[in-house]
Amino acid sequence: MSDDRLIVALDVPNALAGLELAGKLGDAVSFYKIGLGMLTGGGLALANELKSEHGKRIFLDMKLFDIGATVEAAVRGLAQYDLDFLTVHGDPHVVRAAQEGKGDKDLKILAVTILTSLDRADLDASLIKPGDMQDIVLERAANALNAGADGLIASPQEAPLIRALPEAEGKLIVTPGVRPAGADLGDQKRVATPARAIADGADHIVVGRPIWQADNPRAAAEAVLAELATV
């Protein structure tokens, strides 16, 4: 049985490419992330097919943000697909609306604190209040959990700090920005290796390009899984 601590990001152009990649990975991978970039390329249909026909777990990474009524309606619609994880921005009104929208479905609402591709200069440009990046992440994390989030998306560096929050007891931490040793960082600025991310408190790691851009995606996934088996 594959280790569902590894979530493979299907950041490919469309559903056909996603199915092709899933076919190459086979039973090595049981959990997939489908993001906003594939929404117009059949992302929801791909999510449904992987879930219902192939028995995979699905993380829909939409990072929803809007007024409460709109978020609630969007989540209500998405919840019908019986997905596993869904991301929203960690603003308390968004989190509360998402929880209302999912109803009695076993869909985990995961809140985004600060995107792992951003640094302090990016926050300044977005007029985010001054202060240390980690302090802001922790404050947003606590606020989202208090609003009812089932878990958080956080960079590997922030995972142990979030895990230490009283509000984080029993909650999920999912970390993007995970790169196997020697992999290209791409647009990620706050990264860690798979084993380090899990050891520091993450429940799941998200790996994309180092797997789907590899000459042999299954071998690349199995290398990550072998590393996870050590922690």
Side-chain angles (χ1 to χ4, degrees):
M1 184 175 179
S2 59
D3 187 340
D4 75 356
R5 291 180 296 175
L6 170 63
I7 301 175
V8 173
L10 293 177
D11 295 332
V12 291
N14 53 54
L16 289 177
L19 276 177
E20 181 181 0
L21 177 59
K24 291 177 180 177
L25 295 172
D27 59 3
V29 174
S30 60
F31 212 152
Y32 287 102
K33 180 176 85 75
I34 295 174
L36 188 61
M38 201 200 278
L39 191 61
T40 58
L44 286 178
L46 175 62
N48 190 49
E49 183 165 346
L50 288 174
K51 180 79 176 181
S52 63
E53 297 184 24
H54 299 276
K56 306 298 184 182
R57 300 186 72 192
I58 299 295
F59 167 14
L60 197 62
D61 188 19
M62 295 289 105
K63 298 184 182 72
L64 298 175
F65 181 86
D66 212 308
I67 64 171
T70 300
V71 171
E72 183 178 343
V75 175
R76 186 177 296 111
L78 293 171
Q80 68 182 319
Y81 291 93
D82 290 324
L83 307 173
D84 297 275
F85 294 172
L86 173 68
T87 49
V88 303
H89 278 272
D91 304 71
H93 81 276
V94 175
V95 173
R96 286 191 292 267
Q99 287 290 1
E100 284 293 319
K102 81 174 189 182
D104 61 358
K105 296 289 188 179
D106 188 24
L107 171 65
K108 302 300 185 186
I109 301 298
L110 305 180
V112 174
T113 56
I114 300 292
L115 300 177
T116 54
S117 60
L118 304 182
D119 56 21
R120 183 63 249 184
D122 297 313
L123 299 193
D124 292 340
S126 299
L127 305 182
I128 304 296
K129 74 177 186 178
D132 181 76
M133 171 80 79
Q134 288 187 340
D135 291 342
I136 292 173
V137 166
L138 289 174
E139 186 175 358
R140 283 181 61 80
N143 288 345
L145 292 171
N146 284 328
D150 297 303
L152 295 160
I153 305 296
S155 82
Q157 282 76 15
E158 284 122 21
L161 301 174
I162 289 174
R163 181 56 70 203
L165 291 173
E167 297 90 345
E169 184 175 357
K171 303 292 186 177
L172 293 166
I173 296 176
V174 178
T175 65
V178 173
R179 292 288 184 270
D184 179 48
L185 298 186
D187 59 2
Q188 299 291 351
K189 297 176 181 175
R190 308 197 315 279
V191 301
T193 62
R196 172 53 57 190
I198 294 294
D200 282 347
D203 296 288
H204 299 271
I205 61 168
V206 179
V207 183
R209 279 166 287 194
I211 290 176
W212 62 259
Q213 286 185 342
D215 291 334
N216 186 334
R218 181 168 179 133
E222 289 174 341
V224 173
L225 292 166
E227 184 178 336
L228 291 183
T230 67
V231 290

